[in-house]
Amino acid sequence: MGTRADIRSFTGHELKEYLIMKGHRPYRGEQVFRWLWTPYVHSFDAMSNLPKHLREELKQGFHLKCLEPIKVQVSKDGTRKIASRLEDNALIETVIIPEEGHRTVCVSTQVGCAMGCRFCRTARMGFIRDLTPSEIVLQVLMAIEELGGKRQAIRNIVFMGMGEPLMNYENLSKALHILQDTSGMDFSKRRITVSTCGIIPGIERLGQEHQVGLAISLHAPSSEKRSMLMPVNRQFDLRDLIGVLRRYPLAKRRRITIEYLVIRGVNDSPQDALELSRILQGIRVKVNLIPFNEVEGIPFKAPGQEAIESFCKILAEKGYTVTVRKSKGADIDAACGQLYAKIKDNESPRG
Ligand code: SAH
């Protein structure tokens, strides 16, 4: 079993090439790919319009990976957090966020995370492993199934769950191709956003190879402060990061999202806001302020409402588009930075 290839990690192009190489008609690749990303189809036998011999061949050669949702929690505001178990028993979390008239799914790219940001709960799990392309994309399929099986139930995909997407670049890149394939779930690049803590080589590659949206977890206006909050800044310094953003090949009418976590007494002063406005000058950005979500065992505090408001006002006066992120799903630990996949023994799986 272990050696059979994971067919759901194939891009449409790879599958087509493979089946042609095996002597199948050129249209078969697309036909199989379509089935792979059809909600509720989780066996080769369910691919009813494929000839029997092809189904048998696929069964022999491939493994059809599935995610096992073991627990779904629904927040008062409608946010749903899905914990899934992977084949090696690792756990990941996926969040469905209701927004006005549509929904966004927030997917994980790694089990745990190696980046060690001081304020983040996932960081405390440490790094366990990368997710495969299939495990990344299956989270979206699972979200669609959780909402009744209609692709249209989901409008946006954000790579803001557990892990650092650009530390798992190859698998992320395949997942992006699979998600955008018009024979599959057909998400447009405008509906996909990859968020990173600032892995410079990954940002450059993403800009060259994919035109999806880019979000940067910036969180501090100076190198010193940033290194204190995010160890990654010692490897990829804020000044270099800003330089890369300046040169980033942005599509027309697109902007880079700057995520700025606001932490009481740490980075929430008017001085911080002014400094931020200065370093971002001339870059096409929109700023998203994220009030810090307090997490047990992490010694930071949520900012006051006044601090957020004046921070926001300063940036707006400097001409920036600023939004303040509404925290959703906090009552089920599904809010930003709260993902920490650990099912306690006394929590019974979903019935
Ligand atoms: N590694 C990627 C993807 C994770 S996104 C990245 O860093 O962008 C998760 C977002 O939630 C990041 O912007 C992160 O900085 C933020 N976050 C982490 N801990 C948080 C907390 N306690 N409260 C609010 N936001 C937090």
Side-chain angles (χ1 to χ4, degrees), residues 119-121 159-161 163-165 195-197 217 219 259 261 290-293 295 336-337:
F119 45 78
C120 178
R121 198 164 183 214
F159 287 81
M160 297 184 183
E164 169 48 51
S195 178
T196 177
C197 64
S217 293
H219 306 337
E259 297 166 283
L261 186 56
I290 313 173
F292 175 70
N293 286 309
V295 175
C336 289

Side-chain angles (χ1 to χ4, degrees), residues 67-257:
L67 278 192
E68 190 196 351
I70 55 168
K71 190 172 177 205
V72 179
Q73 287 170 276
V74 185
S75 154
K76 289 193 287 259
D77 61 29
T79 301
R80 295 185 209 205
K81 182 171 79 169
I82 310 174
S84 339
R85 198 189 291 287
L86 310 178
E87 284 157 337
D88 59 353
N89 281 328
L91 294 169
I92 52 162
E93 294 181 330
T94 306
V95 183
I96 304 173
I97 308 155
E99 276 162 290
E100 258 155 70
H102 66 93
R103 286 176 211 82
T104 295
V105 58
C106 175
V107 302
S108 297
T109 52
Q110 297 180 318
V111 186
C113 185
M115 307 321 296
C117 298
R118 301 277 181 257
F119 45 78
C120 178
R121 198 164 183 214
T122 305
R124 299 206 321 193
M125 288 175 71
F127 173 69
I128 300 173
R129 71 168 174 88
D130 283 330
L131 295 185
T132 62
S134 61
E135 288 166 339
I136 297 172
V137 183
L138 275 163
Q139 294 173 67
V140 179
L141 188 70
M142 184 181 69
I144 290 170
E145 291 178 349
E146 170 70 23
L147 297 168
K150 289 248 180 329
R151 155 66 182 84
Q152 283 65 33
I154 302 286
R155 184 157 92 180
N156 302 311
I157 302 171
V158 295
F159 287 81
M160 297 184 183
M162 294 163 66
E164 169 48 51
L166 298 182
M167 291 296 278
N168 184 15
Y169 188 89
E170 298 299 334
N171 294 349
L172 169 76
S173 176
K174 279 196 180 185
L176 292 174
H177 285 301
I178 296 170
L179 287 165
Q180 292 176 74
D181 198 307
T182 52
S183 306
M185 286 185 274
D186 191 17
F187 280 93
S188 112
K189 54 185 187 296
R190 310 196 124 260
R191 297 283 173 216
I192 301 177
T193 300
V194 172
S195 178
T196 177
C197 64
I199 308 297
I200 287 178
I203 295 171
E204 289 175 327
R205 253 188 101 178
L206 191 74
Q208 282 153 16
E209 298 174 4
H210 292 277
Q211 277 71 51
V212 297
L214 177 66
I216 303 289
S217 293
L218 204 73
H219 306 337
S222 72
S223 225
E224 294 64 35
K225 236 176 224 185
R226 196 164 191 267
S227 287
M228 200 238 332
L229 294 171
M230 305 172 74
V232 68
N233 193 69
R234 300 195 193 118
Q235 191 181 355
F236 300 113
D237 186 84
L238 181 63
R239 286 164 279 238
D240 302 325
L241 177 59
I242 293 294
V244 167
L245 300 185
R246 234 173 253 295
R247 297 189 297 273
Y248 191 77
L250 268 180
K252 275 207 179 67
R253 291 186 294 127
R254 279 204 94 141
R255 284 183 286 179
I256 296 171
T257 303

Side-chain angles (χ1 to χ4, degrees), residues 10 14-26 57 62:
F10 279 51
E14 287 170 341
L15 193 60
K16 224 168 274 174
E17 300 276 287
Y18 174 85
L19 290 176
I20 288 173
M21 192 255 298
K22 286 285 181 181
H24 295 283
R25 312 281 293 274
E57 190 181 324
F62 292 107

